[in-house]
Amino acid sequence: MGTTAGVGRSRRALWIAAAVLVPAVLAGIGLLWVRPAPEGPGPEDRAAATAPASSAALPTAATEPPPAVTADRSGVERLLAEAPLLFDGESAQLRPVTADTVRRLGGMLEVMPDVPVRLVGHTADLPGPAERALRLSRERAEAVEAALVAAGIEPHRISVDGVGEAGPLGTPEASRRVEVLLG
């Protein structure tokens, strides 16, 4: 009898862990969002008041993502306008905020499996020969490519190019970027 009770507790602990961890992971990659509360009291409010506290605090999956992260071309454009893929000085390493944007982008591109992606790396004010700027800009695009592949995007969908100092944007900081072009 003690063994059966232990198995029941283990299963219950596993379900509780899954109920907490799975939504947290999905929310981290932008595929799950917490539904906003309705304006006034409604049936959901009455149900939430009678539900156990542990289930009321869990996020719920919705049929559509929030407007700021819709998984279509305009959603990708909004995401990249809000958080462009920028790099530091002479680096091809993803900044933490850039890595987060690339993860969110990967989640959006997963639901658009037939759309090819072109990554175009840029750089600015880099001392030395033009070949060095071309190489760095391509390395930046390749860093984004690697992060997208790690996020589950098939490599054959992605093409990479570096254009060096061509196409500067206002300031050198804004020009150290990778553009994402959807085919």
Side-chain angles (χ1 to χ4, degrees):
M1 243 158 107
T3 306
T4 307
V7 170
R9 273 183 261 148
S10 296
R11 285 186 183 156
R12 186 171 34 250
L14 180 61
W15 278 107
I16 291 170
V20 171
L21 292 176
V22 170
V25 169
L26 291 176
I29 60 173
L31 295 179
L32 184 75
W33 61 287
V34 178
R35 189 183 315 256
E39 290 297 319
E44 295 90 9
D45 295 330
R46 286 188 293 278
T50 59
S54 61
S55 66
L58 294 177
T60 59
T63 56
E64 61 186 23
V69 262
T70 55
D72 59 12
R73 290 175 190 274
S74 64
V76 169
E77 290 170 2
R78 274 195 308 276
L79 171 67
L80 296 173
E82 293 169 6
L85 306 179
L86 299 178
F87 292 80
D88 292 324
E90 297 183 26
S91 174
Q93 184 175 2
L94 297 178
R95 293 176 174 177
V97 67
T98 301
D100 181 57
T101 301
V102 172
R103 278 191 296 277
R104 291 174 60 199
L105 176 63
M108 297 169 80
L109 292 174
E110 277 188 323
V111 297
M112 298 188 294
D114 298 327
V115 177
V117 180
R118 182 170 178 235
L119 302 173
V120 181
H122 296 265
T123 191
D125 71 352
L126 190 64
E131 295 81 25
R132 184 170 175 229
L134 283 171
R135 185 175 56 249
L136 178 59
S137 63
R138 182 167 181 86
E139 289 171 358
R140 288 174 173 169
E142 289 170 346
V144 173
E145 175 190 32
L148 286 174
V149 170
I153 305 303
E154 296 101 7
H156 69 85
R157 291 178 55 191
I158 305 170
S159 64
V160 176
D161 194 17
V163 296
E165 295 183 0
L169 288 179
T171 67
E173 292 79 23
S175 296
R176 299 178 191 130
R177 72 191 190 284
V178 170
E179 286 182 279
V180 179
L181 307 171
L182 302 180

